[in-house]
Amino acid sequence: MYEVVIVGAGISGMRLAHLLQQRGIHYCLIDARLRLGGRIVSQSMAEGAQPESGHHRYDLGPSWVWPNQPRINQLTRQLGIKLYPQYDQGTLVYQDQFGSIDTTIDAAPMSGSLRVQGGQQSIIDHLSTKLETERVRLNHAVRSITQGKAGVSVKCATACGAKTIYAQRIVLAVPPRLVANAISFFPKLKPEQTQAMCDIPTWMAGQSKFTAVYSKPFWRNHGLSGYGVSHIGPLSEIHDASPENESRGALFGFIGWPAQQRQALGKELIAQALSQLRQMFGPEAAHPLQVSLQDWAADPLTATVADLEQKAQPQSGSLKELDHIWQGRIMFASAETAKVFSGLVEGALEAAEKAFNDLIEYEVNH
Ligand SMILES: Cc1cc2nc3c(=O)[nH]c(=O)nc-3n(C[C@H](O)[C@H](O)[C@H](O)COP(=O)(O)OP(=O)(O)OC[C@H]3O[C@@H](n4cnc5c(N)ncnc54)[C@H](O)[C@@H]3O)c2cc1C
């Protein structure tokens, strides 16, 4: 029996595993996916395209870190990962609802934010080297959690059939809404506890991110920052995502259209996004070396139906319902359960740290 089983190997679960390992606590980290990192994933250039120096990867999930976030700044420093400023020199490209373009506005709302060299995936890669591999189990989708005398039993679906893992305590480093959606509890949780989980939206779960990689950040030569706003779409908000050394140029945009509309378009959506980039940034934008489209709303390990319908705002109003479930044997630790930086990578680290402190306190008192 493990002392702690952590469900969810996003950055929150991985950070908690790292802290428990340093403390010598017998833990197991499981995830339904075949990879670590959860919402953090970055993509290299496709095979066949000339690799760039430094092997930059483009973020399909989170991109930014802010200087006022103590944990992520400290963690990247400790892991030897460099942060660099979001490019913010030049004007915005603004497209109104009639398609008219204005390139005279000076606005840089992401000014001061930082990007991660090599993509945010570098944080996951570095953290994974700190974890003992035999404690990490991928392809384990938790289906149910049952309370026992000495702890909990966790039933998982795996490639080799159903498996049960036993632990004294369980930390759910999975967004609460997904827990309510996919995991059964025996005995049943109180209705207000289940409702509280459903009420906590998963940050950015309904979003879709389009990235186009170019040989150079050509827009910079035209006095443009790469920041764009459009009231037509499909891209509603566009940003410069180029590597710091300019070995390539990249623009990424959030698709502003609702999930059902964009998913019905299939590959046509990519053609429409490129056509929009050409209108906004000029003819060079029509010829990327590579494009990628990551629709998080179509990922059942991130989004539920409820996440497709509303814009997620971080909120922690329902969190108190999730305290002390089964006398504290069940705990939560995803970014959504953080009090200060709810929904963000910093929040995921904050939640991991809180779960760690609570586990240590529990150990001392029992
Ligand atoms: C498009 C996008 C842009 C974003 N931009 C930013 C940004 O710029 N800056 C920022 O700070 N944050 C941003 N975020 C938010 C950031 O990605 C999250 O805060 C962070 O990655 C959450 O980490 P986590 O470990 O809490 O959760 P997750 O990364 O979601 O990890 C949860 C894990 O649980 C697993 N899981 C789910 N169900 C089960 C189950 N039944 N059994 C086993 N495992 C399960 C999943 O596979 C997943 O690996 C963005 C998110 C998205 C999607």
Side-chain angles (χ1 to χ4, degrees):
M1 178 182 277
Y2 293 98
E3 286 172 86
V4 181
V5 57
I6 307 165
V7 183
I11 191 164
S12 176
M14 290 180 75
R15 175 62 177 151
L16 176 59
H18 184 210
L19 292 169
L20 292 177
Q21 191 169 289
Q22 285 173 335
R23 183 82 180 202
I25 291 177
H26 188 49
Y27 76 89
C28 171
L29 173 65
I30 62 183
D31 200 289
R33 292 180 206 265
L34 297 172
R35 61 166 181 84
L36 296 166
R39 274 169 280 178
I40 296 184
V41 60
S42 317
Q43 192 178 56
S44 306
M45 288 289 286
E47 268 179 48
Q50 286 285 316
E52 59 215 78
S53 60
H55 295 289
H56 189 77
R57 287 172 295 183
Y58 301 92
D59 293 315
L60 309 183
S63 319
W64 296 296
V65 164
W66 285 268
N68 67 339
Q69 298 181 322
R71 295 170 188 85
I72 188 66
N73 280 281
Q74 191 188 24
L75 182 65
T76 48
R77 240 189 336 269
Q78 280 171 357
L79 297 173
I81 297 170
K82 197 180 165 223
L83 304 176
Y84 66 97
Q86 168 68 41
Y87 187 79
D88 64 355
Q89 303 300 300
T91 54
L92 138 86
V93 181
Y94 180 82
Q95 184 177 43
D96 70 15
Q97 66 271 41
F98 308 108
S100 298
I101 307 279
D102 183 347
T103 58
T104 62
I105 307 164
D106 217 352
M110 298 315 292
S111 191
S113 65
L114 304 165
R115 287 182 164 271
V116 179
Q117 204 163 73
Q120 294 238 358
Q121 180 85 43
S122 303
I123 307 170
I124 299 302
D125 293 349
H126 278 76
L127 258 185
S128 76
T129 64
K130 308 274 177 208
L131 304 180
E132 290 165 18
T133 43
E134 64 276 13
R135 293 175 184 259
V136 181
R137 299 190 194 180
L138 299 178
N139 203 359
H140 277 54
V142 173
R143 298 281 186 247
S144 71
I145 304 168
T146 305
Q147 188 176 25
K149 279 208 180 82
V152 293
S153 56
V154 183
K155 275 217 172 98
C156 309
T158 79
C160 312
K163 281 202 182 150
T164 304
I165 294 171
Y166 299 92
Q168 289 165 16
R169 304 194 69 198
I170 182 164
V171 179
L172 295 166
V174 173
R177 191 174 262 181
L178 282 178
V179 173
N181 199 50
I183 302 178
S184 306
F185 292 81
F186 302 103
K188 275 198 160 95
L189 298 182
K190 294 181 192 153
E192 56 271 27
Q193 291 169 334
T194 308
Q195 190 57 50
M197 287 189 230
C198 295
D199 286 347
I200 299 172
T202 305
W203 180 236
M204 305 295 278
Q207 294 289 336
S208 180
K209 214 168 159 179
F210 174 79
T211 309
V213 180
Y214 302 93
S215 55
K216 286 280 163 213
F218 59 86
W219 51 93
R220 295 183 183 179
N221 295 335
H222 308 309
L224 304 174
S225 65
Y227 175 49
V229 170
S230 168
H231 292 279
I232 298 183
L235 305 171
S236 56
E237 191 186 310
I238 300 157
H239 299 272
D240 186 311
S242 310
E244 187 181 26
N245 64 6
E246 300 191 12
S247 56
R248 292 279 183 256
L251 293 170
F252 93 80
F254 293 107
I255 310 269
W257 295 348
Q260 286 84 352
Q261 184 184 351
R262 62 193 190 229
Q263 283 164 13
L265 278 170
K267 292 220 162 102
E268 171 59 21
L269 184 59
I270 292 179
Q272 294 201 20
L274 282 178
S275 162
Q276 180 191 358
L277 287 179
R278 184 182 47 73
Q279 287 165 36
M280 293 178 73
F281 291 91
E284 288 157 289
H287 305 290
L289 299 172
Q290 182 190 352
V291 295
S292 73
L293 183 64
Q294 174 76 23
D295 195 338
W296 289 96
D299 171 9
L301 292 170
T302 297
T304 66
V305 173
D307 294 304
L308 313 189
E309 286 159 6
Q310 49 187 240
K311 289 224 160 152
Q313 288 299 327
Q315 54 119 325
S316 54
S318 311
L319 284 181
K320 59 179 179 337
E321 292 291 349
L322 306 185
D323 280 345
H324 303 298
I325 296 183
W326 295 355
Q327 293 80 47
R329 283 205 191 279
I330 299 183
M331 299 169 61
F332 287 80
S334 76
E336 284 63 32
T337 65
K339 294 230 162 80
V340 183
F341 288 99
S342 178
L344 299 176
V345 170
E346 174 71 14
L349 298 176
E350 182 191 325
E353 211 172 276
K354 177 170 188 312
F356 175 71
N357 290 334
D358 289 352
L359 283 165
I360 298 304
E361 196 182 317
Y362 185 89
E363 202 184 47
V364 168
N365 294 330
H366 288 78

